[in-house]
Each structure stands twice: as structure tokens, then as C-alpha cells.
């Protein structure tokens, strides 16, 4: 299933994509795409619906973040060996963990703001993992059963804030609008093996990133299990799993985003995003 949320910012409603690519409204009594609805039982209720009988959504509404009420937005750094090399950083012995503030979350096609004082705003296409079944100290063998589904994440990053302002990555990762997610939450049963997905990103039509999740250093199951040793993973938590080579920092010379540019990115089977870069007020 491809689940989504549509409508004006802050007024999104839950929906599902039908076989023809049309948005259908989910029944209001199911609630939003969050919490218990992401559990196996909640997803089973949606799967039991006859999608063809649900009302079609007219026009082309704004697509919002594909999940809501996210408690934690956890990111994994340097998780592709080619990206670590272009960043001139050693391969990690354990997953590199940092966070984005949940205020960074926005719809997949909303404008991305270049923060005031930014000189090095960069791009990163990433596979997002959305937790459905809460858990702590999860065994690797059981990890994927805790995943509700997957989505495209744009891990927008301000490199000077990240690397030159005291060494705490979060301040360069969690700026407002720096976490577009969606367009859809594709349920785990439809995705199958998350380590066989192509992912790409273009700036103004120039393709900079073109990789595959097969090249992750730490796969999704390892990441979910690892993180659960340090905190309880809860329904609606998002894990962004790292980016392949081709970021702006890795170009020679480096290339960074400017207001007016358009970024397009996507992951095989999970849809595409497109954002216009704008200067923050």
C-alpha cells in the first residue's frame, strides 16, 4: 500500500493511492497516519478496505509529510563507503547517529529554506524507515518486523553549521524545512527487500547522486536493532539511513545550493520529491 497525507499545511488528511495513481480518502474513523494505525493491526484495517469504493480526492492537492506525530527523527551518517570517501572521513566501525528536529519535517514538494547565514546548504537523498511496532533491544532477526514501511527522505544539510560550528552535526541537519518526507509511506510488504532499491538526486536537471541501498555499510535490520539498544523505538519514528556519493560537499570544487534552484530526488518504488530552494526570511 502507498499511504499519504494531503491538504494544506497543518490540515492534512490521510489517504491512499489507488492502482491508477489517484488519491482516495481514508475513512476518518481510522485516524491519521500515525501511532496505532502504523501497527500491523492498524495496517491490516486499511488493507481490508475496498479502495475502489473510497472517495476520490479532486484536483492536485498539496502532499504533506506521509506520517505525523513523529517522536524521533533519527539519522545515520556515513553509511555508504563511497560517501565516506568523498567526505574524507573514515569508515565507521558502528553506525554514526545524529538527529533532526521534528520541526524540520515537511511535505515532499514544499519549498526548502536556505537558512540565514548559510553558505554551504547541501543535498542528500536517503531511504527513510518508519517504525510501526514499538520495541527496545530488538534482535536483528526480528528488526524488519518492527518496520511499518519506507519513504523518501531528503536529508538537507548545512555543512558549515554541521562541521565548522563546534562539531555537533544536529545544528546543520535540523533546520526548519530540512526534512522533506514522502510522497508516500510504502508499506513493508510492498517494498520487500529494502537493500535492493535505486536512489537518485538531481539539481536543476543535473544528476549528482545515483546509487543503490545495496551499498549500505549497515543495512536496515542492523540499524533498527542497533538503535533499539539505546532507546525505545516508537510507532511513527523515522530513521534516515544515509546517502550515497554525489553530495555537494564531495564535488571538486564543492557545489552548494542557491535560492531559485530545483532539487528532484527519488527512490525506486517509493516515489519522487521536487523542491524549490528559497532564502529564509
Amino acid at each position: 500500500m502507498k499511504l499519504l497525507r494531503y491538504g494544506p499545511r497543518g490540515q492534512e488528511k490521510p489517504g491512499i493511492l489507488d492502482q491508477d495513481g489517484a488519491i482516495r480518502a481514508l475513512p476518518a474513523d481510522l485516524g491519521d497516519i500515525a501511532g496505532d494505525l502504523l501497527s500491523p493491526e492498524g495496517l491490516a484495517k486499511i488493507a481490508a478496505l475496498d479502495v475502489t469504493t473510497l472517495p476520490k480526492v479532486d484536483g492536485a492537492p498539496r502532499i504533506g509529510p506521509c506520517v505525523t506525530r513523529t517522536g524521533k527523527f533519527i539519522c545515520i551518517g556515513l553509511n555508504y563507503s563511497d560517501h565516506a570517501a568523498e567526505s574524507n572521513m573514515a569508515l565507521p566501525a558502528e553506525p554514526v547517529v545524529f538527529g533532526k528536529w521534528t520541526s524540520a519535517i515537511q511535505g515532499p514538494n514544499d519549498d526548502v529554506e536556505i537558512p540565514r547565514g548559510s553558505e554551504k546548504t547541501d543535498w542528500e537523498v536517503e531511504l527513510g524507515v518508519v517504525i510501526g511496532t514499538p520495541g527496545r533491544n530488538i534482535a536483528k532477526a526480528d528488526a524488519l518486523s518492527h518496520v511499518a514501511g519506507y519513504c523518501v527522505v531528503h536529508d538537507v544539510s548545512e555543512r558549515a553549521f554541521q562541521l565548522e560550528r563546534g562539531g555537533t552535526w544536529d545544528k546543520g541537519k535540523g533546520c526548519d524545512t530540512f526534512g522533506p518526507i514522502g510522497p508516500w509511506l510504502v508499506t513493508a510488504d510492498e517494498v520487500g527487500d529494502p537493500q535492493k532499491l535505486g536512489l537518485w538526486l538531481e539539481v536543476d536537471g543535473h544528476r549528482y547522486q545515483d546509487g543503490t541501498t545495496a551499498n549500505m555499510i549497515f543495512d536496515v535490520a542492523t540499524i533498527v536493532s542497533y538503535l533499539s539498544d539505546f532507546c525505545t523505538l516508537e510507532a511513527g519514528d523515522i530513521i534516515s539511513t544515509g546517502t550515497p556519493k554525489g553530495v555537494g560537499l564531495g564535488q571538486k570544487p564543492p557545489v552548494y545550493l542557491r535560492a531559485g534552484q530545483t532539487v528532484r530526488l527519488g527512490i525506486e518504488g517509493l516515489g519522487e520529491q521536487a523542491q524549490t530552494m528559497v532564502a529564509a526570511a
Side-chain angles (χ1 to χ4, degrees), residues 172-256:
K173 294 285 191 171
C175 301
D176 290 356
T177 77
F178 271 24
I181 62 170
W184 318 308
L185 171 65
V186 184
T187 51
D189 62 313
E190 184 168 323
V191 173
D193 186 351
Q195 307 307 147
K196 294 182 178 180
L197 305 176
L199 64 172
W200 56 270
L201 182 145
E202 298 175 349
V203 180
D204 288 345
H206 178 83
R207 183 157 295 198
Y208 283 96
Q209 292 188 276
D210 201 347
T212 171
T213 58
N215 291 337
M216 285 183 183
I217 297 170
F218 305 104
D219 63 16
V220 171
T222 298
I223 291 168
V224 171
S225 174
Y226 181 86
L227 292 175
S228 75
D229 288 345
F230 304 100
C231 66
T232 298
L233 296 176
E234 299 169 307
D237 286 351
I238 301 167
I239 304 168
S240 199
T241 56
T243 199
K245 72 174 181 179
V247 301
L249 175 68
Q251 306 305 307
K252 299 187 184 303
V255 176
Y256 297 113

Side-chain angles (χ1 to χ4, degrees), residues 12 20 28 49 70 79 104 122 128 130 141 145 147 154 177 267:
E12 294 93 346
D20 297 322
L49 298 172
T70 294
N79 197 30
D122 204 347
V130 178
S145 68
V147 175
H154 188 183
T177 77
I267 299 179

Side-chain angles (χ1 to χ4, degrees), residues 147-171:
V147 175
Y150 302 90
C151 65
V152 181
V153 173
H154 188 183
D155 176 19
V156 188
S157 309
E158 212 299 336
R159 300 302 186 189
F161 296 178
Q162 175 191 357
L163 302 172
E164 302 169 21
R165 298 284 296 273
T168 49
W169 284 20
D170 308 62
K171 69 182 73 170

Side-chain angles (χ1 to χ4, degrees), residues 42-127:
L43 294 177
K45 290 179 182 179
I46 301 175
L49 298 172
D50 182 352
V51 174
T52 63
T53 67
L54 299 176
K56 279 189 176 182
V57 176
D58 293 331
R62 168 187 172 269
I63 305 300
C66 55
V67 297
T68 189
R69 299 201 294 273
T70 294
K72 295 186 286 296
F73 194 167
I74 307 170
C75 301
I76 306 299
L78 304 176
N79 197 30
Y80 290 72
S81 57
D82 52 9
H83 173 54
E86 72 176 352
S87 301
N88 294 315
M89 295 184 182
L91 293 182
E94 296 187 33
V96 175
V97 180
F98 61 92
K100 279 186 180 285
W101 320 128
T102 55
S103 54
I105 295 172
Q106 64 165 12
N109 304 315
D110 294 340
D111 292 346
V112 169
E113 296 181 356
I114 297 177
R116 286 190 293 178
S118 167
E119 297 179 351
K120 298 181 179 180
T121 295
D122 204 347
W123 58 82
E124 294 189 13
V125 58
E126 305 201 2
L127 173 66

